Amino acid sequence: MTPSSQLQLRATDADREHVAQMLRASAGEGALMVDELEERLSAAYVAVTRADLARLVADLPPRHTARPAMAPAPEQPVLGVDRSPGLVALLTVVTLGLYLIYWWYTVNREMRDFARTVQPTHPLAGASPVASTLAMTLGTLIIVPVFVTAHSTARRVGEAMSLSGLPPHDRPSPLLYTLAYTIGGLLIVPQLLYAPLLQGHLNRAWQQVRAAQEPGAGDWLASAAAA
């Protein structure tokens, strides 16, 4: 099959994820701005044919010429841990909320480290997991920081999902999650669902990136570029 005919084939999920990884890597090198990256990631996810995907990277410098010859290879994305949402909920209840503090710090650190290796200029790369955790714990004494950190953590999960290549409609609503954690705390159940549901969103982001790293995911694109 010729390179041109390969481009006319319908794109698979693996094709979309491979191009999303290329876009994130190019953004990390400064070839794309944050808004350009998000726009192209969204387009990659809904691409119908391989030609649609090829157009999204056609104007980007080849990876082997984008850096000086002696520069080290780019870092592989630092991914978080897939955790069972049900187990997150169970541990939160069994430990009387202590596990939630550990979870809060850990996922905020994982999202920050992921952004630093995917797109260092992204605001998520400068987030402070310590500040977020302190606002969630000691901040309860003055109420306001709890609203802020509940909203910020949900927003960061959405940003991590965006950097992974997932479309905007898959991201959590920071407002709804903030209400669930704060006002919903009066009903207990909505607050208990906050961490498990966000963990489910993060699991999808990590799985998306891992799928794009599978060997041979972008062979068709390399062939088309060389043609």
Side-chain angles (χ1 to χ4, degrees):
M1 183 177 292
T2 65
S4 60
S5 61
Q6 288 190 39
L7 290 177
Q8 302 311 312
L9 296 177
R10 296 184 70 86
T12 65
D13 286 342
D15 295 334
R16 298 183 185 97
E17 289 156 3
H18 178 73
V19 168
Q21 185 182 30
M22 292 180 62
L23 292 170
R24 289 192 300 270
S26 294
E29 295 172 342
L32 293 173
M33 303 301 290
V34 174
D35 56 341
E36 293 175 317
L37 173 63
E38 293 191 356
E39 180 181 351
R40 295 197 189 197
L41 285 174
S42 297
Y45 191 84
V46 298
V48 176
T49 67
R50 287 177 168 180
D52 296 333
L53 292 172
R55 281 191 286 270
L56 297 175
V57 296
D59 62 340
L60 299 178
R63 300 303 308 283
H64 63 277
T65 61
R67 300 178 303 277
M70 299 304 293
E75 293 183 78
Q76 289 296 312
V78 174
L79 303 180
V81 176
D82 285 358
R83 301 178 182 86
S84 166
L87 185 58
V88 171
L90 178 62
L91 289 175
T92 300
V93 173
V94 170
T95 62
L96 302 179
L98 292 178
Y99 177 79
L100 181 61
I101 299 174
Y102 164 80
W103 177 89
W104 204 288
Y105 170 80
T106 301
V107 298
N108 274 279
R109 176 178 53 78
E110 290 174 346
M111 291 186 290
R112 180 203 63 189
D113 293 346
F114 170 61
R116 285 180 176 179
T117 55
V118 170
Q119 190 181 354
T121 58
H122 195 282
L124 184 58
S128 170
V130 173
S132 180
T133 305
L134 289 176
M136 187 271 286
T137 52
L138 299 180
T140 56
L141 299 176
I142 51 178
I143 306 301
V144 173
V146 178
F147 282 89
V148 175
T149 193
H151 184 278
S152 297
T153 297
R155 174 177 51 77
R156 289 169 190 153
V157 170
E159 291 173 346
M161 294 179 73
S162 173
L163 289 174
S164 77
L166 290 171
H169 60 74
D170 280 353
R171 303 172 201 167
S173 166
L175 177 59
L176 291 180
Y177 274 82
T178 302
L179 294 176
Y181 187 78
T182 52
I183 298 177
L186 300 175
L187 303 176
I188 305 301
V189 173
Q191 189 177 54
L192 288 177
L193 293 177
Y194 179 91
L197 291 178
L198 284 183
Q199 183 63 60
H201 284 293
L202 278 177
N203 289 347
R204 293 184 58 197
W206 307 145
Q207 292 162 8
Q208 178 90 348
V209 179
R210 289 190 184 100
Q213 294 175 327
E214 292 180 357
D219 289 348
W220 63 270
L221 190 58
S223 298

